[in-house]
Amino acid sequence: MASIHREIHIDAPATEVWDAVRDVGAPHKRLAPGFLTDTRLEGDARIVTFANGLVARELIVDVDDTTRRLAWAVVGGRLTHHNASMQVFAAARSRAASSGSPTCCLTSWAATSPRSSSRG
């Protein structure tokens, strides 16, 4: 398995960023416009369309307002296994102070997928 983990500082309050993350029906509008071009909800899943045309069905595993954590897993399609989560943390003011923003947050994104294989 290959894992990717990214931490991103955002000059916005954690509550505002969490509101965008937890809006599972609109990541193409609120989180990744241009990278995602469409999202539609189907039961406990969302169907996301990427800019390159790839379409993935993502099962929403958990939306936890207490820990501000969203977890999802791609089911079916070309991927044999993929899961990811995003969590929003309040961060120290010092990083945002230079931008004039009174607060900022840290967003942590992690994903796990099978490693690509060159074996045939």
Side-chain angles (χ1 to χ4, degrees), residues 5-9 68-70 72 85-89 105-110:
H5 182 250
R6 297 287 183 264
E7 292 183 347
I8 304 160
H9 285 270
R68 292 190 293 247
R69 182 176 182 269
L70 170 66
W72 66 95
S85 65
M86 183 173 285
Q87 191 164 4
V88 179
F89 302 92
C105 69
L106 173 69
T107 302
S108 176
W109 173 78

Side-chain angles (χ1 to χ4, degrees), residues 28-94:
H28 65 295
K29 293 179 182 176
R30 300 187 69 188
L31 292 178
F35 182 70
L36 296 175
T37 60
D38 190 42
T39 305
R40 68 181 191 280
L41 298 175
E42 288 186 0
D44 292 340
R46 65 183 175 191
I47 312 303
V48 294
T49 303
F50 293 83
N52 67 1
L54 178 71
V55 177
R57 179 180 181 81
E58 297 179 339
L59 176 66
I60 304 302
V61 176
D62 190 33
V63 179
D64 186 333
D65 288 319
T66 302
T67 61
R68 292 190 293 247
R69 182 176 182 269
L70 170 66
W72 66 95
V74 174
V75 291
R78 293 177 20 191
L79 296 173
T80 58
H81 174 85
H82 173 86
N83 61 48
S85 65
M86 183 173 285
Q87 191 164 4
V88 179
F89 302 92
R93 294 180 175 204
S94 60

